[in-house]
């Protein structure tokens, strides 16, 4: 077992454990903390793929900014312990079987593809590559996405202001 | 040892560097607290720590012993896991951040292995630093939440809102520097600033001939003070309103960990300011013919400090202090003679300028804290969103235009 595989195993286990813990915890803050663990582990996996830029951005944007906002809202609303509903009818008869099907399909495809897959050639200077893709090749869809987010923001403001 | 180091170069060298840096950092942090107390005292016409050791020089040891010996109760309603996790996060993350800071040019020898003067010379160093700082918020926020106290909760809430607001300005304020340097690697950002305009004005990013980063530095410094939760932005603590804010319920070493974390963050932010805007380890004096004497400046500064210490020491009010201070002065003079020697002179020049600049920035940091009163919460938000964010955005646009127009 190489050192790389060992690091991958640890990070992957951490990510999966964090994700499971996120669902099992009953307090929103604990769930949010588990989600941060998942994101940090994912950043580690990106680092293992030598995508330093994506790893750093993953931490800054997701773990740093978005999750701080989550935690802020949870604290502001002073959310207490969640109540267990023991599966609604839809979840029991549609959700659980579909989740099982998804798992089987994913496992099948990963198991079939792993032998044939080869690593993509390592891009020199990943930050530069990402920037060129975002701001030159895909500049239009990129700007369109940011306008979409802006519209969503303004929409949220309008909805919040309507009652008062 | 050399043979073992040759077999496992990365592990051994990194380990040595980490241990040495950690030891140095802890010493610096301890004396930074002493320094801050002295400066604040003199700003307020007091003497500051004076009892433990000559000029209070052993005060940090006394503080450390106090942190370790105090009773350490946990509040009854506290969320124990998070309550213990929060100070660890604050201290751990802010100490980790120092690993990407380069202290000088060139390389040094550890067990026959040549290695640069930085623990981790990564090509996205700046981003790693920002990633660690942005995670540092959790220490404060979680401490506030887990303590089960209204004062702590208010402190944590304020802190999270403040961090989210000022992080944007912090990251945007350095974009100007990145546009000029074209890299995220901190050592490359420093080398990009070498050279002099008109032969004497250093081409540091602050005074860059293409696009001077004055506005960028102003935004960076204000946002950095806010990010490290220091006055005038210490609303998370605000002892006049919130007792002690997020760490009201912490005592003993857990409180000490918050303390270490705050000062380590201060050092990191000061180092980053020096690297980004003040040319890092580059000498402010131009080289060339007739300027060879500048290489002796570090030794001269040490000698001057030693002589000053001796002159002051012999007039100290306690006999023990007279002996100790004079001996320390003598040791500094000896060190100065050592530093004037060939080889060592060139090796310490970079780190000397770097540390001197960091020291100046830290002094301004302390000076600001004891000069400006705290902002109100609504003022804090207004400054962050209505002034600092537009200003840093304007700096980005302005710098981009200048870079495009002049190159």
């Amino acid at each position: 077992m190489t050192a790389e595989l060992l690091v991958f195993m640890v990070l992957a286990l951490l990510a999966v454990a964090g994700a499971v813990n996120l669902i099992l915890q009953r307090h929103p803050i604990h769930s949010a903390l588990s989600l941060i663990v998942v994101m940090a582990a994912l950043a580690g996996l990106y680092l293992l793929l030598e995508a330093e830029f994506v790893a750093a951005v993953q931490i800054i944007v997701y773990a740093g900014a978005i999750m701080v906002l989550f935690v802020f809202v949870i604290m502001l609303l002073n959310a207490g312990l969640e109540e267990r509903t023991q599966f609604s009818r839809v979840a029991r008869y549609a959700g659980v079987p579909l989740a099982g099907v998804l798992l089987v399909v994913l496992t099948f495809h990963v198991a079939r593809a792993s032998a044939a897959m080869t690593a993509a050639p390592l891009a020199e200077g990943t930050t530069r590559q990402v920037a060129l893709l975002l701001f030159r090749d895909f500049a239009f869809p990129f700007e369109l996405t940011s306008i979409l987010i802006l519209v969503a923001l303004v929409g949220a403001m309008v909805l919040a202001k309507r009652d008062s | 040892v050399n043979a073992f180091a040759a077999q496992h170069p990365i592990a051994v060298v990194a380990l040595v560097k980490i241990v040495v840096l950690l030891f140095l950092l802890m010493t610096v942090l301890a004396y930074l607290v002493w320094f801050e107390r002295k400066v604040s005292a003199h700003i307020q016409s007091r003497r500051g720590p004076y009892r433990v050791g000559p000029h209070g020089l052993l005060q940090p040891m006394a503080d450390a012993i106090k942190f370790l010996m105090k009773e350490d109760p946990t509040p009854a309603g506290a969320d124990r896991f998070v309550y213990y996790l929060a100070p660890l996060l604050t201290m751990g993350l802010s100490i980790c951040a120092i690993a990407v800071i380069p202290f000088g040019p060139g390389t040094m020898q550890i067990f026959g292995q040549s290695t640069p003067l930085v623990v981790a010379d990564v090509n996205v160093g700046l981003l790693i630093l920002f990633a660690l700082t942005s995670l540092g918020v959790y220490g404060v926020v979680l401490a506030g939440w887990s303590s089960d106290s209204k004062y702590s909760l208010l402190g944590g809430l304020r802190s999270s809102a403040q961090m989210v607001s000022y992080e944007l300005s912090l990251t945007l304020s350095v974009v100007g520097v990145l546009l000029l340097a074209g890299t995220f690697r901190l050592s490359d950002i420093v080398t990009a600033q070498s050279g002099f305009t008109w032969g004497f004005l250093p081409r540091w990013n602050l005074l860059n001939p293409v696009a001077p980063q004055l506005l960028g530095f102003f935004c960076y410094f204000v946002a950095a003070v806010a990010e490290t939760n220091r006055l005038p932005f210490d609303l998370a603590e605000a002892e006049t309103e919130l007792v002690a804010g997020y760490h009201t319920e912490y005592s003993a070493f857990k409180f000490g960990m918050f303390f270490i974390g705050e000062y380590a963050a201060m050092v990191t932010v000061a180092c980053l300011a020096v690297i980004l805007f003040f040319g890092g380890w580059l000498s402010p004096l131009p080289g060339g013919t007739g300027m060879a004497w500048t290489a002796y400046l570090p030794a001269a500064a040490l000698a001057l400090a030693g002589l000053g210490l001796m002159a002051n020491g012999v007039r100290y009010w306690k006999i023990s202090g007279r002996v100790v201070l004079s001996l320390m002065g003598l040791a500094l003079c000896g060190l100065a003679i050592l530093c004037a020697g060939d080889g060592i002179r060139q090796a310490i020049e970079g780190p000397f300028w770097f540390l001197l600049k960091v020291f100046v920035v830290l002094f301004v940091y302390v000076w600001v804290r004891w000069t400006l009163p705290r902002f109100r919460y609504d003022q804090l938000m207004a400054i962050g969103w209505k002034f600092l964010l537009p200003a840093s955005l304007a700096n980005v646009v302005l710098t981009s235009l200048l870079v495009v127009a002049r190159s």
Side-chain angles (χ1 to χ4, degrees):
Chain A
M1 191 151 60
T2 60
E4 205 163 303
L5 191 64
L6 192 73
V7 174
F8 171 79
M9 283 297 179
V10 170
L11 287 172
L13 269 179
L14 211 62
V16 173
V20 172
N21 197 41
L22 161 66
I23 303 167
L24 293 182
Q25 284 296 334
R26 289 186 59 197
H27 200 288
I29 290 269
H30 291 163
S31 295
L33 279 178
S34 314
L35 193 51
I36 296 165
V37 171
V38 175
M39 283 162 174
L42 285 185
L45 288 177
Y46 292 144
L47 216 53
L48 211 59
L49 294 170
E50 307 204 16
E52 302 96 347
F53 180 76
V54 183
V57 169
Q58 162 89 7
I59 295 275
I60 295 175
V61 174
Y62 283 99
I66 293 181
M67 287 315 293
V68 171
L69 218 59
F70 271 43
V71 172
F72 176 72
V73 170
I74 294 171
M75 279 167 62
L76 195 68
L77 301 178
N78 204 5
L81 291 181
E82 290 165 359
E83 276 179 33
R84 291 255 180 262
T85 55
Q86 304 298 344
F87 291 120
S88 65
R89 199 167 294 165
V90 184
R92 188 176 297 166
Y93 295 116
V96 176
L98 280 179
V101 169
L102 182 69
L103 189 70
V104 169
V105 170
L106 278 178
T107 318
F108 174 69
H109 278 282
V110 168
R112 199 184 55 172
S114 61
M117 267 199 302
T118 50
L122 198 64
E124 197 60 41
T126 46
T127 314
R128 194 181 148 75
Q129 296 300 325
V130 170
L132 283 177
L133 281 179
L134 268 188
F135 294 108
R136 196 185 60 194
D137 300 356
F138 297 107
F140 184 65
F142 177 69
E143 294 300 331
L144 213 61
T145 317
S146 46
I147 289 175
L148 192 68
I149 294 171
L150 190 68
V151 169
L153 269 174
V154 175
M157 293 291 278
V158 169
L159 285 178
K161 287 266 178 188
R162 198 167 55 181
D163 286 340
S164 55
Chain B
V1 179
N2 282 12
F4 185 75
Q7 273 177 334
H8 308 277
I10 298 175
V12 171
V13 168
L15 205 65
V16 169
K17 282 202 276 195
I18 288 168
V19 169
V20 170
L21 187 64
L22 202 59
F23 179 75
L24 286 178
L25 184 68
M26 283 301 165
T27 318
V28 166
L29 292 185
Y31 279 93
L32 189 58
V33 179
W34 173 85
F35 175 71
E36 170 146 40
R37 290 176 68 174
K38 275 289 185 195
V39 172
S40 69
H42 284 275
I43 284 174
Q44 300 166 344
S45 297
R46 294 183 287 115
R47 278 173 188 272
Y50 218 79
R51 297 283 167 184
V52 196
H55 286 297
L57 275 172
L58 293 177
Q59 188 70 41
M61 316 282 174
D63 286 347
I65 291 170
K66 197 170 144 187
F67 278 143
L68 290 169
M69 305 293 279
K70 283 256 174 183
E71 192 190 350
D72 189 6
T74 306
D79 188 311
R80 292 187 80 91
F81 175 69
V82 182
Y83 181 78
Y84 280 81
L85 181 72
L88 265 175
L89 267 181
T90 306
M91 189 179 77
L93 288 171
S94 44
I95 286 178
C96 280
I98 209 95
V100 294
I101 301 279
F103 290 94
T107 55
M108 58 181 171
Q109 301 287 326
I110 296 175
F111 299 133
Q113 301 290 316
S114 172
T115 169
L117 280 153
V118 48
V119 174
D121 192 18
V122 279
N123 61 1
V124 285
L126 190 62
L127 287 178
I128 300 268
L129 238 168
F130 280 143
L132 290 172
T133 355
S134 70
L135 285 182
V137 200
Y138 288 114
V140 176
V141 174
L142 294 177
W145 175 77
S146 67
S147 298
D148 195 33
S149 142
K150 57 190 169 201
Y151 300 115
S152 304
L153 186 67
L154 279 172
L157 265 178
R158 282 179 179 190
S159 174
S160 52
Q162 178 181 333
M163 294 285 186
V164 169
S165 313
Y166 281 78
E167 210 162 81
L168 287 172
S169 312
L170 187 75
T171 23
L172 279 174
S173 65
V174 303
V175 171
V177 172
L178 294 175
L179 285 169
L180 291 170
T183 172
F184 280 120
R185 191 191 290 266
L186 290 173
S187 47
D188 289 350
I189 292 178
V190 174
T191 13
Q193 300 176 61
S194 51
F196 292 85
T197 326
W198 307 313
F200 68 93
L201 202 64
R203 291 170 63 111
W204 298 346
N205 280 328
L206 191 73
L207 310 162
N208 192 290
V210 177
Q213 291 299 309
L214 294 167
L215 186 60
F217 174 65
F218 175 76
C219 292
Y220 172 82
F221 194 71
V222 175
V225 174
E227 280 282 309
T228 42
N229 267 322
R230 287 182 48 98
L231 256 156
F233 297 104
D234 72 333
L235 280 99
E237 247 179 271
E239 70 275 3
T240 43
E241 311 150 39
L242 299 182
V243 190
Y246 65 94
H247 56 51
T248 305
E249 302 295 339
Y250 283 88
S251 58
F253 198 65
K254 288 210 278 296
F255 171 72
M257 282 156 97
F258 280 120
F259 217 64
I260 295 170
E262 182 189 326
Y263 280 85
M266 225 172 114
V267 170
T268 315
V269 159
C271 287
L272 195 59
V274 168
I275 288 168
L276 294 178
F277 298 98
F278 295 98
W281 61 75
L282 299 168
S283 162
L285 298 164
T289 48
M291 300 299 277
W293 55 270
T294 56
Y296 287 95
L297 277 178
L302 273 178
L304 216 64
L307 289 176
L309 203 57
M310 275 198 277
N312 177 280
V314 290
R315 287 181 285 121
Y316 197 75
W317 64 285
K318 257 163 117 178
I319 303 291
S320 61
R322 281 182 202 171
V323 176
V324 171
L325 287 176
S326 308
L327 282 179
M328 278 171 65
L330 209 63
L332 276 181
C333 287
L335 206 64
I337 294 168
L338 203 71
C339 287
D342 280 333
I344 299 180
R345 197 168 64 226
Q346 286 82 0
I348 64 158
E349 202 184 353
F352 169 76
W353 288 117
F354 183 79
L355 294 178
L356 189 70
K357 289 172 192 173
V358 170
F359 178 74
V360 171
V361 175
L362 282 175
F363 174 75
V364 175
Y365 230 108
V366 171
W367 185 12
V368 165
R369 171 169 177 186
W370 297 98
T371 310
L372 296 178
R374 183 179 300 125
F375 288 117
R376 246 182 12 239
Y377 185 69
D378 59 316
Q379 287 174 329
L380 175 91
M381 285 295 133
I383 292 170
W385 290 104
K386 292 182 185 164
F387 170 67
L388 213 57
L389 187 63
S392 44
L393 272 173
N395 181 54
V396 172
V397 174
L398 213 68
T399 313
S400 324
L401 286 178
L402 283 171
V403 167
V404 170
R406 293 198 185 173
S407 58

